[in-house]
Amino acid sequence: KPLMILHGWFLFALTSADRVLEEGLLDLESLESSFLQISIENVTLTHVSEVSPWVSLGTVHMSIYLVAFLLVPICALAFAGPKWLLVAMITCADSTCTELPMAIFPVIAEGPVALGALVATKPFGQLLATPLVLRFTRHREVKAMELGLLLQSAGLLLQGFTPSLGAWFAARAAQGVGSGLVLTANMATGTDAFEEVKDSNYVEPMILVYSMYIGAVCGAPFGGVGFTIQPFLPFLFLGLAELLLLAAVHSKLDAPSIAMPGTQPLLSLLQYPMISRPVALICLLVMYTAALQAMLFRVLEEDLELTVGAASFTWLFQAWPAILGVLCLGPAAQRIGFRLIMLTGILLAGTSALLADESLTVLILELVAVGLALGAENATVPRLLEDVGIRHFEAPVSNNIITLLNLGQQLGYVMGPLTGALLCHVSSFQTMCRFFGVLLLGYALAHTAD
């Protein structure tokens, strides 16, 4: 009942604001034509028919209505639902925040270099902040999660209402730091949340992985469709949703009963080939995936002349095969063989990269092949490293190995867009794909020779 009352007052306020806006527009139409004529005489006319405004006043009130209705169920689930659902929603929001503007970046950044740098800003901020985040988050898990959600929300609102390249760089950097805080704190708060329902048959820790996949699948299409309706719409919605999640965290989550373990030196683990080679493999494949994602939407929107909304849906051809690959190959990885699945995945990605072309059909086939390869590696590499940690180390190092793998992925997300942007600037999109194809196949052949 309080939520219904609050919703009613909120809609009443929006309706009043809408009426004020319409009255203002009527007053503008009632101005004398002589005043309008004098104003036009002092303005230099330019050809602006192809430039669309960032905020369209004609549909702004409908966009606010839509955001309000979508936020009501999120508010109800966050405050009235169990703690494990809140943790899963935060994971999904973080993943959505990463993928949301991918199809919008070519509208903001002109040229491949600026585009690649903008895509790489968030993982670069997360990569640099990780050592400090690990120290800050220990014994401050809830505060770290709140700060992370606040940074992400501020970055989203800045992106939504400031269509400036410099502002977007600052927003993505803040989101990278916030993502590091949220994901690190989630490891401790999620453990306690799922411990309360460990005897339940319908809740399992894999729900966090599934929620991350939901964000990866829905992020880019939601951003593209929302941007088509109103450019600020997806950013406003997700920014306000993360503020609601922050309020729910502050009111519901307590400090975890078991603090995060202290971190040991990570780079020393790279001296073991059984750890360094899988980490290098996943880093190399993520580099190609990130470069493809950064430059693909530019090709679709500028060369093939697709709209932002239509281009955003093409990423589903990569996301779904990657998720299905993880879900299908993960349980069977040990029976089939880690090495066989890893080599098959990297050979598939390398071969598809060599056959790259700028036609829509070939691009879609390449996305499917890369998605299957990424799913194969994500299904095997974490399990392989976990098995190596149990078999070959006396002290528990699983947390350190997971952190090292995450750092390798973030390094790939940074180096991939920058390398791809440089190659596209110097040569072309096909050259970029073939460069990564040679790297992937060369690594596969070297790995096979060993």
Side-chain angles (χ1 to χ4, degrees):
K1 289 182 178 180
L3 284 176
M4 294 175 62
I5 296 173
L6 179 62
H7 190 199
W9 278 107
F10 190 61
L11 291 180
F12 175 75
L14 290 177
T15 306
S16 302
D18 185 27
R19 291 176 180 174
V20 171
L21 179 61
E22 291 179 355
E23 292 176 359
L25 293 176
L26 291 176
D27 292 339
L28 180 62
E29 294 176 356
S30 64
L31 290 176
E32 296 182 1
S33 59
S34 59
F35 175 79
L36 294 177
Q37 184 178 0
I38 293 173
S39 299
I40 292 174
E41 288 178 354
N42 290 278
V43 175
T44 302
L45 297 179
T46 57
H47 181 67
V48 295
S49 60
E50 297 180 359
V51 180
S52 59
W54 187 256
V55 178
S56 176
L57 294 178
T59 59
V60 65
H61 56 291
M62 293 302 300
S63 301
I64 296 176
Y65 291 160
L66 180 60
V67 169
F69 277 111
L70 291 176
L71 287 177
V72 170
I74 292 179
C75 180
L77 292 174
F79 284 93
K83 293 181 179 179
W84 64 264
L85 181 59
L86 175 60
V87 174
M89 291 173 68
I90 293 172
T91 304
C92 181
D94 176 78
S95 180
T96 305
C97 178
T98 301
E99 301 294 333
L100 182 75
M102 286 300 173
I104 308 172
F105 281 146
V107 179
I108 301 297
E110 296 182 359
V113 176
L115 176 60
L118 184 58
V119 174
T121 301
K122 184 177 185 292
F124 184 66
Q126 186 174 348
L127 182 66
L128 290 182
T130 295
L132 297 176
V133 164
L134 291 174
R135 294 176 179 271
F136 174 79
T137 305
R138 192 164 183 253
H139 301 297
R140 304 182 188 91
E141 290 82 0
V142 176
K143 295 297 182 183
M145 184 175 290
E146 293 174 356
L147 178 59
L149 290 171
L150 183 61
L151 287 174
Q152 287 191 347
S153 179
L156 287 165
L157 295 177
L158 182 62
Q159 286 177 291
F161 295 98
T162 311
S164 165
L165 184 59
W168 276 52
F169 271 112
R172 293 294 284 179
Q175 290 170 0
V177 178
S179 182
L181 289 166
V182 168
L183 294 179
T184 305
N186 244 6
M187 291 190 294
T189 56
T191 301
D192 269 21
F194 284 101
E195 188 68 22
E196 297 178 1
V197 291
K198 63 180 181 180
D199 297 330
S200 175
N201 294 326
Y202 62 92
V203 179
E204 56 175 340
M206 281 297 290
I207 192 69
L208 293 182
V209 179
Y210 300 151
S211 61
M212 181 184 67
Y213 290 159
I214 292 174
V217 170
C218 300
F222 175 74
V225 174
F227 183 84
T228 303
I229 299 174
Q230 187 73 257
F232 69 83
L233 176 62
F235 303 101
L236 176 63
F237 166 73
L238 189 57
L240 294 179
E242 296 213 6
L243 288 179
L244 287 177
L245 295 177
L246 188 155
V249 167
H250 184 74
S251 63
K252 292 179 62 175
L253 290 186
D254 301 321
S257 56
I258 301 177
M260 291 177 57
T263 57
Q264 301 173 358
L266 299 176
L267 297 181
S268 61
L269 294 173
L270 293 177
Q271 63 181 319
Y272 302 102
M274 63 191 71
I275 294 178
S276 60
R277 288 179 180 175
V279 171
L281 169 63
I282 200 71
C283 178
L284 186 59
L285 186 58
V286 167
M287 278 183 63
Y288 175 51
T289 305
L292 182 64
Q293 186 180 35
M295 297 297 120
L296 173 72
F297 292 115
R298 177 175 176 268
V299 173
L300 293 174
E301 295 170 19
E302 295 183 6
D303 297 342
L304 300 181
E305 298 182 350
L306 295 181
T307 64
V308 173
S312 65
F313 278 92
T314 60
W315 194 246
L316 296 178
F317 290 100
Q318 190 270 349
W320 275 115
I323 294 172
L324 293 177
V326 172
L327 297 179
C328 296
L329 293 177
Q334 198 158 7
R335 295 196 302 271
I336 298 174
F338 293 120
R339 186 184 181 89
L340 177 61
I341 296 178
M342 290 166 60
L343 288 177
T344 303
I346 198 170
L347 286 173
L348 179 62
T351 304
S352 66
L354 291 179
L355 301 176
D357 193 4
E358 290 190 3
S359 68
L360 183 59
T361 303
V362 175
L363 287 175
I364 289 176
L365 293 176
E366 185 177 1
L367 287 175
V368 174
V370 173
L372 292 173
L374 190 62
E377 306 308 329
N378 286 331
T380 53
V381 172
R383 288 176 170 83
L384 175 62
L385 293 178
E386 182 181 2
D387 185 67
V388 167
I390 295 175
R391 290 175 179 268
H392 298 278
F393 294 92
E394 296 181 358
V397 294
S398 58
N399 289 332
N400 291 349
I401 291 178
I402 292 174
T403 303
L404 186 62
L405 180 61
N406 182 51
L407 289 177
Q409 291 176 328
Q410 295 305 318
L411 181 62
Y413 282 119
V414 172
M415 296 301 298
L418 295 178
T419 306
L422 181 61
L423 292 172
C424 287
H425 178 70
V426 174
S427 182
S428 63
F429 178 78
Q430 291 94 330
T431 302
M432 180 203 76
C433 294
R434 289 163 187 166
F435 171 80
F436 280 106
V438 171
L439 282 182
L440 292 170
L441 293 178
Y443 183 91
L445 293 176
H447 195 71
T448 304
D450 292 339

